[in-house]
Amino acid sequence: MKSSDPGIGDALAPVGSEEWAKRWRLEMQAAMKNATNDQERVCRLWKFGIDEHRAWTKLNRSDGKPFKCWRAFASETVPWGLGSKWETVEAILVARNGRRATQRETVPEPRTKWDESTPHDGELSINAQQRLRAINRAPEIVGRLYDEGLISQVDAAKLGKKELDASEVAAEIARVVEETKDVESVKERRKAIKEVAKRVGGGKSETTLDKLKKLWGKATEQERRQFLKHANRGI
């Protein structure tokens, strides 16, 4: 099998270009060699190269073909990849940034025609990947709330719909965050943010009838009879 020339890149190349990505790869390889003593550098380079500029999508494997996912890039032998187990890289990122943030930062690009229709080893489901990409399209505040566990993946993804006005989404979410900043109950904050996310994202807010239906489903037969008796008195 013929190997491709990985190249050394150009330190003066425009950020985000292929030559820039090659130079970033060299720096990342050096950081991984000393990862035990300097995890901060690994995370800093990774965030800049992967989260902000998706550097691995601009690089090729030893056979000249593009990497299908960041895990493949991490596992590929040096000088084309990092020569590390992707689990090792992921563990460093999760320890520094948390699992949710790491999943967002490392979500693969959408599948192409030459890609398999199923996830690669260790990846999330296709649906989860689509939701994470939607969250990444949403205003930064949405991603931050998701990382902090204040909004679910499903609700956060609704705010990354391409047809939505990003400034409107950011303003509405910022407003409810500000209004609930002194609320001690995390549950209540999540509920308030969820309602705004559903409204802004195009979903319906939960009505009183919706709540009654949920309670009816949870009620015992005796409680239902008591409720109906009470309701008939009011008619």
Side-chain angles (χ1 to χ4, degrees):
M1 180 179 66
K2 184 178 180 180
S3 295
S4 64
D5 181 3
I8 62 173
D10 183 353
L12 300 179
V15 174
S17 66
E18 182 180 348
E19 291 304 304
W20 165 85
K22 290 178 180 178
R23 180 51 61 105
W24 170 85
R25 173 170 54 189
L26 290 177
E27 294 183 21
M28 194 69 204
Q29 289 168 349
M32 284 303 299
K33 287 183 179 180
N34 193 41
T36 303
N37 300 318
D38 194 0
Q39 292 188 353
E40 181 62 38
R41 186 186 177 204
V42 171
C43 292
R44 186 174 64 253
L45 283 170
W46 190 267
K47 181 173 180 58
F48 183 58
I50 297 297
D51 184 22
E52 297 183 26
H53 297 289
R54 317 295 281 177
W56 61 267
T57 65
K58 303 170 179 65
L59 300 169
N60 290 332
R61 306 181 310 196
S62 58
D63 60 5
K65 295 180 180 180
F67 289 106
K68 296 181 180 180
C69 61
W70 76 268
R71 288 172 172 81
F73 166 68
S75 303
E76 183 77 6
T77 57
V78 175
W80 296 276
L82 299 183
S84 303
K85 291 183 178 180
W86 64 261
E87 296 96 333
T88 301
V89 180
E90 188 174 62
I92 294 174
L93 300 176
V94 169
R96 287 279 175 169
N97 306 321
R99 183 161 298 282
R100 288 190 172 199
T102 298
Q103 288 178 340
R104 281 200 306 111
E105 292 171 4
T106 58
V107 64
E109 297 294 301
R111 297 297 184 218
T112 58
K113 292 182 179 179
W114 51 264
D115 254 326
E116 296 88 353
S117 60
T118 54
H120 299 295
D121 182 40
E123 285 186 352
L124 299 170
S125 69
I126 299 298
N127 287 338
Q129 291 179 34
Q130 292 175 338
R131 289 194 294 267
L132 289 172
R133 284 193 288 270
I135 295 173
N136 288 338
R137 288 195 301 269
E140 182 181 353
I141 189 173
V142 176
R144 188 168 71 249
L145 291 173
Y146 171 70
D147 295 345
E148 294 174 359
L150 289 174
I151 186 172
S152 73
Q153 187 179 97
V154 172
D155 289 330
K158 292 177 182 177
L159 299 174
K161 293 178 180 178
K162 296 178 181 179
E163 63 269 23
L164 293 179
D165 185 314
S167 60
E168 179 185 347
V169 171
E172 285 295 302
I173 295 297
R175 178 184 60 78
V176 74
V177 169
E178 177 65 23
E179 290 178 353
T180 60
K181 66 179 182 180
D182 296 325
V183 176
E184 294 184 3
S185 172
V186 174
K187 183 177 181 179
E188 288 302 313
R189 291 196 72 198
R190 286 175 178 162
K191 182 179 178 181
I193 294 171
K194 178 182 179 68
E195 287 299 303
V196 172
K198 289 171 68 175
R199 177 170 58 79
V200 177
K204 296 191 302 180
S205 295
E206 190 175 44
T207 64
T208 300
L209 181 58
D210 292 329
K211 295 176 182 178
L212 286 173
K213 287 179 178 179
K214 285 184 180 180
L215 291 173
W216 183 267
K218 296 178 180 179
T220 63
E221 286 299 323
Q222 182 179 359
E223 289 172 332
R224 291 178 181 179
R225 286 195 296 270
Q226 290 176 340
F227 174 79
L228 290 173
K229 185 177 180 181
H230 175 76
N232 288 331
R233 283 185 193 151
I235 295 176

